[in-house]
Amino acid sequence: MSEHEAAPTGPDPAGVGLRLLTVAHHVRSAADQHMAAAGLSLSRTKLLQQLALHGAMHQAELAEALGLAARSVTQTVEALERLRLVSRVTDPTDRRRKTVDLTDQGQAALTAAEQAGRQALQQVFGTLTRRQLADLEQLLACLQAPLDA
């Protein structure tokens, strides 16, 4: 930059982006802690939400829907099965495929975890005014749009 060029003014996009990542990490951690206290971690809750939304699914479909490696989903499903929150059945036409379904106990645990997650988010975002929430929602939509393109 020459001595005649003005230094940029205003917030630095990279700095704001880093701050957003930091805040998002803290919000996620707070929600995860509240949900874990209710019996399920955020990641386990997301898996159960997929089953509640779509019904029984093959583990590979679950992994794809969650954007996770198949092995990670297998480990989570095994843990949830031990807790009787999901059931697994071997596909009769392909013994390597497992179909996972939500149990009644799993639905109850999911409901409790979702409520705890909502309470955690209410604590964080409830400090904002209606106008601030509307502005934040609009800004998040602006950030999301190019990522969806």
Side-chain angles (χ1 to χ4, degrees):
M1 173 169 45
S2 73
E3 62 183 82
H4 298 291
E5 291 180 65
T9 59
D12 169 43
V16 172
L18 287 172
R19 184 163 185 193
L20 175 63
L21 290 173
T22 300
V23 170
H25 173 75
H26 289 295
V27 170
R28 182 182 175 96
S29 292
D32 190 40
Q33 287 174 359
H34 275 76
M35 294 168 89
L40 285 176
S41 67
L42 180 58
S43 62
R44 288 181 177 188
T45 299
K46 286 181 174 186
L47 189 147
L48 295 183
Q49 285 173 327
Q50 286 295 314
L51 295 173
L53 183 63
H54 300 292
M57 300 174 74
H58 291 292
Q59 285 184 190
E61 294 169 328
L62 263 174
E64 185 177 332
L66 294 167
L68 298 172
R71 184 68 190 141
S72 295
V73 169
T74 299
Q75 291 172 339
T76 301
V77 166
E78 288 171 350
L80 291 170
E81 186 179 35
R82 283 190 299 275
L83 296 170
R84 296 188 174 109
L85 303 182
V86 300
S87 62
R88 278 192 308 173
V89 178
T90 301
D91 187 315
T93 61
D94 183 351
R95 300 197 63 76
R96 295 170 296 172
R97 288 178 61 134
K98 306 280 186 189
T99 300
V100 183
D101 202 2
L102 187 63
T103 65
D104 290 342
Q105 193 172 340
Q107 181 60 59
L110 175 59
T111 300
E114 287 176 331
Q115 178 61 31
R118 279 192 295 278
Q119 288 173 348
L121 295 175
Q122 180 63 40
Q123 286 177 359
V124 173
F125 292 98
T127 62
L128 301 176
T129 66
R130 285 181 181 242
R131 179 64 197 178
Q132 289 171 324
L133 282 171
D135 289 346
L136 178 58
E137 187 172 33
Q138 183 179 11
L139 290 169
L140 291 172
C142 289
L143 290 172
Q144 186 68 44
L147 298 172
D148 290 341

